[in-house]
Amino acid sequence: MVPADVKFIVFLVLCTLILQVQSRNVLLILGDDAGFETQVYNNEICKTPNLNKLAERSLVFNNAFTSVSSCSPSRSVVLSGLPQHQNGMYGLFNGYHHFQSFEDVRSLPSLLKGAGVRTGIIGKKNLGPESVYPFDYSVTELDGHSILQTGRNITFIRQHVREFLRQNSSSPFFLYVAFHDPHRCGHTHPQYGQFCEKFGADGTMPDWNPVFFDPASVVVPYFVQDTPAARLDIAAQYTTINRMDQGIGLILKELELAGHADDTLVMYSSDNGIPFPNGRTNLYDSGLAEPFIMSSPYHRKRLGQKSDAMLSHVDILPTVLDWFGVKYPHYKILKNAVTLTGKSLLPLLKEEPKESWDTVYASHSLHEVTMYYPMRVVRNKQYKLIQNINFQMPFMIDQDFFVSRTFQDLLNRTQQGKETHWYKTLHNYYYRDQWELFNIVTDPQELHNLARDPSHSKVYHQLQNQLNMWQNITFDPWICSPSGVLQDVGPHKYHPQCYSMYNGL
């Protein structure tokens, strides 16, 4: 016979373990075109005290990358774990761009809902269809709210975070807060400034303490021209980054007040690069690299540390599933069996890996519907290979960046034959080689293409083979482009092949 007091102790232990299992939640915070303009990543001008505080109890990643440098496609990757060419979100969802993920995609909110996890989204969604990305609680621009309110008004955001947390009783939750800051708004809402830095500055956003920055003091990234026009834009960008940071502080305070500060995995990143030349829509590191901060209440060994492991946004879904103990299902998209290429980041919270975590891939097809410029990338810690599939056409400029002070400054200086103070010319920005190989260690600005350098032939072909293998695993429809045609149905169903068009490419 087991003594009664021993049974009682065992019962208490079991209850504690069950409670710990139940008390696992996730808060995912995503900036919109946010970059490294934060003190966490050594920018001492753009003040971000709340991100600083979060970083102190987090693992900060130095080598995090988006899988695609475009809004809707990137968000689809975050929530599906699949590259855009595999999940079907080839370009922007909104307006006449009208791209959507395949109906067969099994997304994070769908998988979590099936596992009894309550899901919520507050902010910018900009992806569909709804059947693929269903949330239990949704306050987005697709629910009839103004994108300015749901994505930039930090008082509005705080109120709805509180509402979601109060409505959540005993269920574990996944809350996705997607800011619209610091996205440009000169194209859609010019009355509020280039970055909507004037929105809410009249006191209509009670929780916001506006902070404005001196253009002369901002840090100009290496890939942006150092001119008065660009500095004005960066100063405005800083104001909206600071606003987002204040919003993050409010969200984390609501999490604490709701009693979930010690049972919630918190992740912060951005969808793509900043909206400046060579940034968003590009797969150079200036458009590909992202901030990434992850804080776990159950992994305290590496708090305040930094990791050099290479991660991609395809790793977010496996991480969240791992956190909740949910298995990824066996299923097919367009009759092709789906295999995740990402993996859980949770082991990195315990120790820095000695191997693997050294390669990422990226896939970009369009941004706006007119911007057809598919690119594929494989990058490791020393080399990066870019395939520009539509290389014979000029690289396009998106609508909101075109009307910006920064781009108009570049355009006008180029047309007038003046010094641009930029490290590229518009011509070599528009027209790129089909293959670009860079040594990231010796050439971090990616200026010297080594693809035709005989001394790098071995590396070049190795990376091409790696990229091709990844494209096969992820069923990339562009795998034969631009020189061939993919045949993968009918008699080629089990043995897909690329057939040459003999077009000289």
Side-chain angles (χ1 to χ4, degrees):
M1 291 288 293
V2 179
D5 56 343
V6 174
K7 288 182 179 180
F8 182 70
I9 292 173
V10 171
F11 173 77
L12 288 178
V13 170
L14 289 174
C15 287
T16 302
L17 291 173
I18 291 171
L19 184 61
Q20 287 178 345
V21 170
Q22 291 175 335
S23 300
R24 275 182 173 259
N25 308 296
V26 172
L27 170 62
L28 173 60
I29 302 172
L30 201 67
D32 196 359
D33 297 355
F36 297 93
E37 289 72 29
T38 161
Q39 291 166 292
V40 178
Y41 286 96
N42 302 317
N43 183 320
E44 295 301 327
I45 305 300
C46 188
K47 305 300 183 184
T48 53
N50 295 291
L51 280 174
N52 299 351
K53 187 176 179 180
L54 177 62
E56 289 172 0
R57 56 183 179 88
S58 301
L59 182 61
V60 176
F61 290 87
N62 293 324
N63 288 304
F65 300 88
T66 182
S67 173
V68 50
S69 195
S70 174
C71 175
S72 300
S74 179
R75 293 162 196 271
S76 74
V77 173
V78 168
L79 294 179
S80 74
L82 306 175
Q84 56 84 23
H85 65 253
Q86 189 175 15
N87 76 54
M89 185 68 77
Y90 302 139
L92 294 180
F93 170 78
N94 56 294
Y96 46 65
H97 312 294
H98 200 54
F99 291 98
Q100 298 193 76
S101 291
F102 298 126
E103 293 279 357
D104 295 335
V105 170
R106 303 289 301 277
S107 73
L108 192 52
S110 176
L111 295 173
L112 293 179
K113 187 172 184 178
V117 178
R118 185 166 182 261
T119 61
I121 178 172
I122 299 167
K124 181 177 179 178
K125 190 173 185 181
N126 202 23
L127 81 170
E130 175 65 22
S131 60
V132 171
Y133 301 103
F135 285 85
D136 297 314
Y137 180 93
S138 182
V139 181
T140 75
E141 79 283 6
L142 302 184
D143 301 303
H145 299 281
S146 162
I147 187 65
L148 296 179
Q149 294 297 328
T150 190
R152 299 187 193 266
N153 186 333
I154 60 175
T155 297
F156 182 93
I157 294 169
R158 175 186 61 78
Q159 290 169 344
H160 285 280
V161 167
R162 177 177 294 180
E163 182 177 81
F164 172 82
L165 293 173
R166 283 182 174 176
Q167 289 179 2
N168 206 69
S169 54
S170 59
S171 299
F173 65 80
F174 169 77
L175 178 58
Y176 170 39
V177 180
F179 284 90
H180 192 30
D181 279 336
H183 193 287
R184 288 184 179 273
C185 76
H187 168 60
T188 56
H189 301 90
Q191 68 272 30
Y192 295 123
Q194 291 279 307
F195 284 82
C196 274
E197 67 277 10
K198 300 174 185 177
F199 174 68
D202 56 357
T204 55
M205 198 184 302
D207 290 307
W208 183 35
N209 178 30
V211 178
F212 298 99
F213 295 84
D214 179 5
S217 300
V218 302
V219 179
V220 181
Y222 71 86
F223 52 90
V224 178
Q225 77 271 26
D226 192 348
T227 63
R231 284 180 170 272
L232 281 169
D233 269 4
I234 295 170
Q237 176 204 27
Y238 281 13
T239 292
T240 55
I241 290 174
N242 181 269
R243 179 168 62 201
M244 178 181 68
D245 180 79
Q246 292 184 40
I248 290 172
L250 295 174
I251 293 167
L252 295 177
K253 184 62 177 179
E254 291 297 329
L255 196 70
E256 179 185 346
L257 292 173
H260 291 298
D262 294 326
D263 60 19
T264 302
L265 178 72
V266 179
M267 290 183 281
Y268 165 78
S269 190
S270 175
D271 56 347
N272 46 246
I274 63 175
F276 284 87
N278 227 67
R280 184 185 64 197
T281 75
N282 286 271
L283 294 188
Y284 300 116
D285 273 12
S286 44
L288 194 65
E290 299 298 338
F292 201 97
I293 301 171
M294 182 164 63
S295 175
S296 166
Y298 303 132
H299 301 81
R300 300 185 176 276
K301 182 179 179 181
R302 303 196 66 192
L303 299 188
Q305 294 185 18
K306 294 188 176 183
S307 173
D308 290 323
M310 298 183 71
L311 68 90
S312 165
H313 280 168
V314 296
D315 298 319
I316 293 176
L317 179 141
T319 302
V320 176
L321 294 184
D322 187 16
W323 178 261
F324 286 116
V326 177
K327 290 186 177 180
Y328 191 70
H330 296 287
Y331 76 104
K332 295 182 179 182
I333 296 177
L334 303 178
K335 300 181 179 180
N336 295 315
V338 176
T339 301
L340 287 178
T341 53
K343 49 193 174 183
S344 173
L345 300 169
L346 296 185
L348 302 183
L349 294 172
K350 299 176 182 177
E351 60 181 359
E352 187 74 358
K354 295 182 174 61
E355 56 186 5
S356 71
W357 296 99
D358 57 4
T359 305
V360 294
Y361 299 87
S363 162
H364 183 107
S365 296
L366 301 97
H367 180 61
E368 294 168 356
V369 70
T370 57
M371 298 176 64
Y372 180 69
Y373 204 86
M375 298 169 280
R376 301 295 183 264
V377 169
V378 55
R379 188 197 191 283
N380 58 38
K381 289 188 176 180
Q382 183 171 4
Y383 290 102
K384 179 179 187 178
L385 181 68
I386 304 175
Q387 182 190 20
N388 298 306
I389 295 172
N390 199 25
F391 70 102
Q392 291 192 325
M393 291 293 288
F395 186 87
M396 296 295 289
I397 305 298
D398 58 274
Q399 292 172 319
D400 67 338
F401 180 52
F402 182 84
V403 300
S404 71
R405 282 182 296 227
T406 300
F407 184 75
Q408 287 298 309
D409 176 58
L410 274 180
L411 193 63
N412 292 334
R413 287 173 179 272
T414 299
Q415 290 174 328
Q416 296 167 15
K418 295 181 178 179
E419 172 62 50
T420 63
H421 303 283
W422 195 33
Y423 77 142
K424 290 185 175 182
T425 66
L426 279 180
H427 185 272
N428 64 29
Y429 182 68
Y430 292 151
Y431 295 97
R432 308 176 183 190
D433 293 330
Q434 181 179 2
W435 293 95
E436 296 179 281
L437 174 66
F438 300 107
N439 185 327
I440 301 298
V441 175
T442 61
D443 180 26
Q445 296 184 10
E446 299 167 276
L447 291 173
H448 306 290
N449 185 5
L450 304 173
R452 296 182 182 178
D453 182 350
S455 66
H456 287 83
S457 176
K458 184 177 180 181
V459 172
Y460 173 61
H461 290 296
Q462 284 177 339
L463 291 177
Q464 277 188 321
N465 289 336
Q466 276 186 259
L467 186 59
N468 183 262
M469 288 177 61
W470 177 72
Q471 289 179 280
N472 272 290
I473 293 171
T474 56
F475 297 99
D476 188 352
W478 279 263
I479 193 169
C480 301
S481 298
S483 60
V485 174
L486 173 64
Q487 295 291 346
D488 60 351
V489 296
H492 300 90
K493 179 178 180 180
Y494 298 107
H495 301 284
Q497 291 187 31
C498 291
Y499 286 91
S500 175
M501 294 188 293
Y502 296 98
N503 59 8
L505 299 179

